[in-house]
Amino acid sequence: MKRLRRTADAEPPQARREGDAAGPAPSSHRKSPPAVLRRRRLVILGLTVLIGTLLVLICTVAGLLVRFLFTTMAFVAVLLAGFLAVANLPGLESEGRPTEPLPTAGRLKRRNRSDPSCPEAEGVANPKVQVQPVETSSAEIEPTAGEQPPRGVGPQASTHAQAPTPYGVPTAPVTVRQPSDRRPLNTGVQTERYDPQERQKPPAVGCPDEPGRFPVLRKPSAAATAPWLLPSAPSAAAITADEAVLGGLQLRAASVSGPSHRSRGIPRQDAYRIGQDSAGRHLVVAVADGMSDSKHSDLGAGAAVIALVNTLRELLDRGVPLQEIDVRGVFLAAARQMYGVADQRGWTADDVRAVALAAVIPAQPDADGVRRCWLGAIGDVSAWRLVHRRWERLIGDEKGGLDPSAVAHFLPHDVDHLPYGVVEMRPGEVMGLTTDGVADAFALGLDAEQWFAERWRQPPPVGAFLLDVGFEQAQLQDDRTAVVVWCADTPGTAAKGRQR
């Protein structure tokens, strides 16, 4: 059954029939009156005008804000440009170290640091072996007494060598004590003279260096430009330097962490220490180089130089002549100190291995104008003397064999293979005590060796000396340490200044 759907205007059937008979009904009740339509139109028009007015106001306010922001930024930019222009005016800059011109030598070209035409470096073996990350370290080492003595005891041989002078006049024999399997120290070669009034000559090799940057010998290494990373534990400074005057001696010393260490956060494993006896009559120097495959060799090197200087000072204060210094006793004290450092921290002696060099240089020459200096060393830490723009090795093992980085004798295990002796230094001569990080640069060639000779022919400012020691050269990545002593007491040019 279908349901009938009624509409709103449905009428009863009877009414619908009556309406049909009467005719169609008027349709006015189905349309809105005209007044209502007009009101609706006015409302819509008003809303449109209101919305348009609001949009115009919003756009106006937004435009003002944008113009204000742009105006403020322009004003700030003008102020900043003016500040930079004033700050860069000539005369307001701080003067840096003047760049020393470096002329070419042979086939080496003069270039800027970014010039790719700088000559390639000859192949040089990377000194020492790979280094393991350091776990613990400390910045200072206090002397301690280790009870465990190092191994090895051997007899010492004694020989006498005649030392001819540069002027061809024979002098009294100079005693040279050394093991029988070692060559005597070279004491009779004509050497360079240091004249404080001589004008510094430009170096013969190297690319023009920027003020405050390490000079480039031939080609910088990639590691030299890498960021310097901090070691995982507190350690000695990556850079250290000293300047001192003692009697007629001028001294410059510097030690710089090598690119391979500083770019990997490994502590500087080189160490040096300088001092004097109580009377100020002798300069005492010690230089050490920690072995890279030794876990805490930085502490071992630091302990070695402290013990060497302190032991030599005690012997000098007791009046022991230089010729009678017991080299084995001196290095035995360093070995005991290293054993004590390792034992205090629960390490083994292999964790603090190092090679070392010690020197005693009189502050004033003898009556004949000659200084007789004592030298003792173990390993490839070396002493040099400037001779005709070349560096003559006085003491220290030379590298060789299939593995040039290998070291046969080192502390604290070995105190029997100790070359030592007395060498003569005349007024104006120069002596350098270096680790292999600097000595390896001499092997680059005659031009590189002469570059250091010219730079250090006279005592440079300590800042310039520090930059020289930190030179950049591809394939030379080890720590660099050098202590250079000038006998500056030529007639009328004795060094003056506060003694250290």
Side-chain angles (χ1 to χ4, degrees):
M1 178 177 182
K2 296 182 181 179
R3 298 181 61 183
L4 177 64
R5 185 175 59 183
R6 296 175 61 91
T7 60
D9 55 351
E11 297 179 359
Q14 183 179 0
R16 186 180 297 120
R17 287 193 298 269
E18 292 176 357
D20 292 341
S27 60
S28 60
H29 66 279
R30 299 181 181 179
K31 298 181 181 180
S32 300
V36 174
L37 294 176
R38 284 195 298 270
R39 284 197 297 270
R40 289 180 179 176
R41 292 192 186 99
L42 289 176
V43 170
I44 294 173
L45 180 60
L47 290 176
T48 303
V49 173
L50 179 61
I51 292 173
T53 305
L54 289 176
L55 290 176
V56 171
L57 290 176
I58 292 173
C59 293
T60 303
V61 173
L64 291 175
L65 290 176
V66 172
R67 284 195 294 270
F68 175 76
L69 291 177
F70 275 107
T71 304
T72 303
M73 292 173 62
F75 181 72
V76 172
V78 171
L79 288 180
L80 181 60
F83 175 76
L84 294 177
V86 173
N88 292 327
L89 286 177
L92 297 181
E93 301 176 353
S94 60
E95 296 183 0
R97 182 174 67 88
T99 303
E100 188 176 359
L102 304 181
T104 60
R107 64 185 181 89
L108 297 180
K109 295 181 180 180
R110 185 178 217 167
R111 69 160 183 91
N112 294 326
R113 182 178 299 272
S114 59
D115 189 354
S117 62
C118 188
E120 297 287 337
E122 301 175 5
V124 179
N126 188 17
K128 301 216 168 44
V129 297
Q130 292 294 331
V131 184
Q132 299 297 328
V134 174
E135 296 179 355
T136 58
S137 181
S138 64
E140 296 293 335
I141 307 171
E142 296 298 331
T144 59
E147 298 297 334
Q148 183 181 4
R151 300 185 295 273
V153 177
Q156 301 293 319
S158 177
T159 60
H160 296 274
Q162 181 72 20
T165 66
Y167 311 104
V169 180
T171 60
V174 178
T175 302
V176 179
R177 293 181 177 85
Q178 59 175 7
S180 57
D181 59 342
R182 299 289 175 178
R183 298 193 305 271
L185 301 182
N186 194 337
T187 61
V189 182
Q190 178 68 34
T191 58
E192 298 283 346
R193 293 292 190 271
Y194 156 56
D195 184 1
Q197 298 179 351
E198 179 184 2
R199 187 173 182 178
Q200 184 82 359
K201 296 180 181 179
V205 71
C207 303
D209 52 308
E210 302 177 16
R213 292 186 178 272
F214 295 137
V216 179
L217 290 186
R218 292 179 178 174
K219 179 182 178 181
S221 65
T225 58
W228 291 37
L229 303 181
L230 284 174
S232 57
S235 60
I239 292 180
T240 183
D242 279 283
E243 176 178 347
V245 175
L246 182 63
L249 299 176
Q250 288 270 1
L251 178 143
R252 304 290 185 270
S255 183
V256 179
S257 180
S260 65
H261 287 175
R262 67 197 188 212
S263 63
R264 294 187 291 162
I266 298 176
R268 175 172 54 88
Q269 296 173 345
D270 281 4
Y272 74 83
R273 196 170 183 88
I274 54 179
Q276 59 178 333
D277 59 351
S278 300
R281 297 175 182 174
H282 296 89
L283 174 68
V284 184
V285 181
V287 177
D289 184 359
M291 300 179 66
S292 295
D293 60 348
S294 184
K295 201 170 185 180
H296 303 289
S297 61
D298 56 322
L299 296 186
V305 295
I306 291 175
L308 290 172
V309 171
N310 289 344
T311 303
L312 288 171
R313 290 182 70 249
E314 292 175 1
L315 294 176
L316 295 172
D317 289 344
R318 295 206 306 260
V320 177
L322 297 184
Q323 293 83 357
E324 298 180 8
I325 291 179
D326 180 12
V327 64
R328 190 175 185 277
V330 172
F331 282 82
L332 183 62
R336 286 173 176 165
Q337 176 71 30
M338 297 168 71
Y339 271 108
V341 168
D343 185 66
Q344 283 183 346
R345 292 161 175 80
W347 304 334
T348 66
D350 286 336
D351 293 333
V352 294
R353 287 175 289 139
V355 294
L357 164 71
V360 178
I361 305 174
Q364 300 292 347
D366 295 339
D368 56 358
V370 176
R371 284 182 173 84
R372 291 172 174 83
C373 310
W374 182 91
L375 295 173
I378 184 170
D380 56 1
V381 182
S382 50
W384 305 79
R385 181 168 49 190
L386 188 57
V387 179
H388 298 305
R389 300 181 64 192
R390 300 287 301 272
W391 291 96
E392 172 204 5
R393 186 188 297 267
L394 297 175
I395 199 171
D397 294 345
E398 297 185 22
K399 291 187 175 182
L402 298 178
D403 185 7
S405 63
V407 178
H409 309 292
F410 46 83
L411 294 174
H413 295 307
D414 192 354
V415 291
D416 289 328
H417 299 81
L418 297 168
Y420 70 104
V422 176
V423 297
E424 293 183 352
M425 296 291 294
R426 297 184 175 277
E429 293 185 349
V430 184
M431 178 186 292
L433 313 173
T434 71
T435 61
D436 60 343
V438 174
D440 285 345
F442 297 164
L444 289 175
L446 180 61
D447 50 0
E449 193 173 352
Q450 291 178 350
W451 184 82
F452 283 98
E454 291 296 340
R455 301 281 277 201
W456 297 345
R457 184 180 179 87
Q458 301 181 68
V462 66
F465 183 80
L466 172 63
L467 294 177
D468 293 342
V469 173
F471 66 91
E472 294 182 9
Q473 173 58 40
Q475 300 182 6
L476 297 185
Q477 308 292 334
D478 201 8
D479 297 340
R480 297 93 189 270
T481 300
V483 180
V484 181
V485 180
W486 288 263
C487 300
D489 50 354
T490 53
T493 61
K496 298 179 181 180
R498 180 176 61 85
Q499 293 186 357
R500 185 182 176 88

